Every structure is written in structure tokens, then in C-alpha cells.
């Protein structure tokens, strides 16, 4: 079975050796998303927690779309937030982003995040069908070589 790596221009290029998401085994695994703007650099740390939460959720949903899924397909989200005081603010933004759908979720308070950001999320969703955008990156299961 092949895995499909997902990259989208609606999220910034990964800063490390990873894809935005990978589709395999009927699931989409979305990499951790910091509130970095697409085509941007880590430079908006001073925006409010709520704005950072909206941005990571927006990027998360954009990656899902690129993978051929939407918010209703999300099974589990893990959110890392600096300061448990931000939990209610994150919960409000999460509810706005997901509407009636209530995926499983963990919110993990942390002391700090990379680049000084206040929130990061990753998650798992059901894979419906990879989009053409996702099919451009195929990872062969046996040798993990990227074919472009």
C-alpha cells in the first residue's frame, strides 16, 4: 500500500523534514500546525491567542481540504497551548471552527512552543479520497522514497 504525502500552498512550507499531512491506512495524519501565515516566516508571535488559534485551525482545515476531507471527517485533535488560562479561549475558537462536529480532543498545557507561539494543533481524520494536490506526493511504503 502507498502513502500519500499532502502539501498545500494554503499552509506555509514545513520548516522541517515532514509533510503537512500523510494519508495512509484510511486515515489522514495532520502534522502539528503553528500560527505561521502561508508563505510567511515565524514573525507574528505578538498577535493575540485567539488570532493564533483561529490561524492554526484555519490551516488545519485547509490541509484537510487538500487531502480531500473536511471538518466532519476529523476523529481526533491534540492542541498544545501555552498557559491553561487560554483553554476557554481555545475551546471557543475550536467550537466555531468545527460547528456541530465534536471530534475527540486533548488540550495539553505547555510552558512554551517553538518560535514563541501560544498554540499548535495536530490531528487525525478519515481519508475519503486523496485530491490531485495530495496525489502529487506519493511515499512508497517499502522504501519511503518520495516520488514527485
Amino acid at each position: 500500500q502507498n502513502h500519500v504525502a499532502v502539501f498545500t500552498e494554503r499552509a506555509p512550507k514545513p520548516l522541517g523534514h515532514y509533510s503537512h499531512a500523510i494519508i495512509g491506512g484510511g486515515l489522514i495524519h495532520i502534522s502539528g500546525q503553528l500560527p505561521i501565515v502561508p508563505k510567511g516566516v515565524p514573525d507574528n508571535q505578538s498577535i493575540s491567542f485567539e488570532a493564533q488559534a483561529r490561524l492554526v485551525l484555519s490551516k488545519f482545515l485547509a490541509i484537510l481540504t487538500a487531502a480531500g476531507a473536511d471538518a466532519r471527517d476529523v476523529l481526533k485533535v491534540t492542541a498544545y497551548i501555552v498557559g491553561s488560562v487560554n483553554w476557554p479561549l481555545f475551546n471557543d475558537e475550536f467550537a466555531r471552527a468545527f460547528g456541530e462536529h465534536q471530534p475527540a480532543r486533548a488540550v495539553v498545557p505547555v510552558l512554551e512552543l517553538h518560535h514563541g507561539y501560544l498554540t499548535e494543533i495536530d490531528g487525525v481524520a478519515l481519508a475519503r479520497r486523496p485530491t490531485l494536490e495530495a496525489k502529487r506526493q506519493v511515499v512508497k511504503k517499502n522504501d519511503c522514497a518520495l516520488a514527485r
Side-chain angles (χ1 to χ4, degrees), residues 55-87:
L55 186 52
V56 296
L57 288 161
S58 172
K59 288 172 39 185
F60 184 90
L61 295 174
I63 292 166
L64 273 176
T65 299
D70 63 36
R72 295 167 298 181
D73 298 313
V74 175
L75 300 173
K76 170 84 166 55
V77 171
T78 303
Y80 306 91
I81 62 171
V82 175
S84 57
V85 67
N86 287 319
W87 188 91

Coordinates of all heavy atoms in Angstrom, one line a residue, residues 55-87:
L55 N -5.9 31.0 13.4 CA -5.0 30.8 12.3 C -4.6 29.3 12.2 O -4.6 28.7 11.1 CB -3.7 31.6 12.4 CG -2.7 31.6 11.3 CD1 -3.4 31.8 9.9 CD2 -1.6 32.6 11.5
V56 N -4.3 28.6 13.3 CA -3.9 27.2 13.3 C -5.1 26.4 12.9 O -4.9 25.4 12.1 CB -3.3 26.7 14.6 CG1 -2.0 27.4 14.9 CG2 -4.2 26.8 15.8
L57 N -6.3 26.7 13.3 CA -7.5 26.0 13.0 C -7.8 26.1 11.5 O -8.1 25.2 10.8 CB -8.7 26.4 13.8 CG -8.6 25.9 15.3 CD1 -9.5 26.7 16.1 CD2 -8.9 24.4 15.4
S58 N -7.6 27.3 11.0 CA -7.8 27.6 9.5 C -6.8 26.8 8.7 O -7.2 26.2 7.7 CB -7.6 29.1 9.3 OG -7.6 29.3 7.9
K59 N -5.5 26.8 9.1 CA -4.5 26.0 8.4 C -4.8 24.5 8.4 O -4.7 23.8 7.4 CB -3.1 26.3 8.9 CG -2.6 27.6 8.6 CD -1.3 28.0 9.3 CE -0.4 26.8 9.4 NZ 0.8 27.1 10.2
F60 N -5.2 24.0 9.6 CA -5.6 22.6 9.8 C -6.7 22.2 8.8 O -6.6 21.2 8.1 CB -6.0 22.4 11.3 CG -6.3 21.0 11.6 CD1 -5.4 20.2 12.2 CD2 -7.6 20.5 11.6 CE1 -5.7 18.9 12.5 CE2 -7.9 19.3 11.9 CZ -7.0 18.4 12.4
L61 N -7.7 23.1 8.7 CA -8.9 22.8 7.9 C -8.5 22.9 6.4 O -8.9 22.1 5.5 CB -10.0 23.7 8.2 CG -10.7 23.5 9.6 CD1 -11.7 24.5 9.9 CD2 -11.2 22.0 9.7
A62 N -7.6 23.8 6.0 CA -7.1 23.9 4.7 C -6.3 22.6 4.3 O -6.4 22.2 3.1 CB -6.2 25.1 4.5
I63 N -5.5 22.1 5.2 CA -4.8 20.9 4.9 C -5.7 19.7 4.7 O -5.6 18.9 3.8 CB -3.7 20.6 6.0 CG1 -2.6 21.7 5.9 CG2 -3.1 19.2 5.9 CD1 -1.8 21.7 7.2
L64 N -6.8 19.7 5.5 CA -7.8 18.6 5.4 C -8.4 18.7 4.0 O -8.6 17.7 3.3 CB -8.9 18.8 6.4 CG -8.8 18.2 7.7 CD1 -9.9 18.5 8.6 CD2 -8.7 16.7 7.6
T65 N -8.8 19.9 3.5 CA -9.4 20.1 2.2 C -8.4 19.6 1.1 O -8.8 19.0 0.2 CB -9.7 21.6 2.0 OG1 -10.6 22.0 3.0 CG2 -10.3 21.9 0.6
A66 N -7.1 20.0 1.3 CA -6.1 19.5 0.3 C -6.1 18.0 0.3 O -5.7 17.4 -0.8 CB -4.8 20.1 0.6
A67 N -6.4 17.3 1.4 CA -6.3 15.9 1.5 C -7.7 15.2 1.0 O -7.8 14.0 1.1 CB -6.0 15.4 2.9
G68 N -8.7 16.1 0.7 CA -9.9 15.5 0.2 C -10.9 15.3 1.3 O -11.8 14.5 1.2
A69 N -10.8 16.0 2.5 CA -11.6 15.8 3.6 C -12.1 17.1 4.1 O -11.8 18.2 3.5 CB -10.9 15.0 4.7
D70 N -12.9 17.1 5.2 CA -13.4 18.3 5.8 C -13.5 18.1 7.3 O -13.2 17.0 7.8 CB -14.6 18.9 5.1 CG -15.9 18.0 5.3 OD1 -16.0 17.3 6.4 OD2 -16.7 17.9 4.4
A71 N -14.0 19.1 8.0 CA -14.0 19.1 9.5 C -14.8 17.9 10.0 O -14.5 17.4 11.0 CB -14.6 20.4 10.0
R72 N -15.8 17.5 9.2 CA -16.7 16.4 9.7 C -15.9 15.0 9.7 O -16.4 14.1 10.3 CB -17.9 16.3 8.9 CG -18.9 17.5 9.0 CD -19.9 17.5 7.9 NE -19.2 17.6 6.7 CZ -19.8 17.6 5.5 NH1 -21.1 17.6 5.4 NH2 -19.1 17.8 4.4
D73 N -14.8 15.0 9.0 CA -14.0 13.8 8.9 C -13.0 13.6 10.1 O -12.3 12.6 10.2 CB -13.3 13.7 7.6 CG -14.3 13.6 6.4 OD1 -15.2 12.8 6.5 OD2 -14.1 14.4 5.4
V74 N -12.8 14.7 10.8 CA -11.8 14.7 11.9 C -12.2 13.8 13.0 O -13.3 13.8 13.5 CB -11.6 16.1 12.4 CG1 -10.6 16.1 13.6 CG2 -11.0 17.0 11.3
L75 N -11.3 12.9 13.4 CA -11.6 12.0 14.5 C -11.0 12.4 15.8 O -11.6 12.3 16.9 CB -10.9 10.6 14.2 CG -11.4 9.9 12.9 CD1 -10.6 8.7 12.6 CD2 -12.9 9.6 13.0
K76 N -9.8 13.0 15.8 CA -9.0 13.4 17.0 C -8.2 14.6 16.7 O -7.5 14.7 15.7 CB -8.2 12.2 17.5 CG -7.2 12.5 18.6 CD -7.8 12.4 19.9 CE -6.9 12.3 21.1 NZ -6.0 13.3 21.3
V77 N -8.1 15.5 17.6 CA -7.3 16.7 17.6 C -6.5 16.8 18.9 O -7.1 16.6 20.0 CB -8.1 18.0 17.4 CG1 -7.2 19.2 17.5 CG2 -8.8 18.0 16.0
T78 N -5.2 17.1 18.8 CA -4.4 17.4 20.0 C -4.0 18.8 19.9 O -3.5 19.2 18.9 CB -3.2 16.5 20.2 OG1 -3.7 15.1 20.2 CG2 -2.5 16.8 21.4
A79 N -4.3 19.6 20.9 CA -4.0 21.0 20.9 C -3.0 21.3 22.1 O -3.2 20.8 23.2 CB -5.2 21.9 21.1
Y80 N -1.9 22.0 21.7 CA -0.9 22.4 22.7 C -1.1 23.9 22.9 O -1.0 24.6 22.0 CB 0.5 22.0 22.2 CG 0.6 20.6 21.8 CD1 0.3 20.2 20.5 CD2 0.9 19.6 22.8 CE1 0.4 18.9 20.1 CE2 1.0 18.3 22.4 CZ 0.7 17.9 21.1 OH 0.8 16.6 20.7
I81 N -1.3 24.3 24.2 CA -1.5 25.7 24.4 C -0.6 26.2 25.6 O -0.4 25.4 26.5 CB -3.0 26.1 24.7 CG1 -3.5 25.4 26.0 CG2 -3.9 25.7 23.6 CD1 -4.8 25.8 26.5
V82 N 0.0 27.4 25.4 CA 0.8 27.9 26.4 C -0.1 28.5 27.5 O -0.9 29.5 27.1 CB 1.8 29.0 25.9 CG1 2.5 29.7 27.0 CG2 2.7 28.3 24.9
G83 N -0.1 28.0 28.7 CA -1.0 28.5 29.7 C -2.4 28.0 29.7 O -3.1 28.2 28.8
S84 N -2.8 27.3 30.8 CA -4.1 26.7 30.9 C -5.2 27.8 30.9 O -6.3 27.6 30.6 CB -4.2 25.8 32.1 OG -3.9 26.5 33.3
V85 N -4.8 29.0 31.2 CA -5.7 30.2 31.2 C -6.3 30.4 29.8 O -7.4 30.9 29.6 CB -5.1 31.5 31.7 CG1 -4.0 32.0 30.8 CG2 -6.1 32.5 32.0
N86 N -5.6 29.9 28.8 CA -6.1 30.0 27.4 C -7.0 28.9 26.9 O -7.6 29.0 25.8 CB -4.9 30.1 26.4 CG -4.1 31.4 26.5 OD1 -4.7 32.4 26.6 ND2 -2.8 31.3 26.5
W87 N -7.3 27.9 27.8 CA -8.2 26.8 27.4 C -9.5 27.3 27.0 O -10.0 26.9 26.0 CB -8.3 25.8 28.6 CG -9.0 24.6 28.2 CD1 -8.5 23.4 27.6 CD2 -10.4 24.4 28.2 NE1 -9.5 22.5 27.4 CE2 -10.7 23.1 27.7 CE3 -11.5 25.2 28.6 CZ2 -12.0 22.6 27.5 CZ3 -12.8 24.6 28.4 CH2 -13.0 23.4 27.9

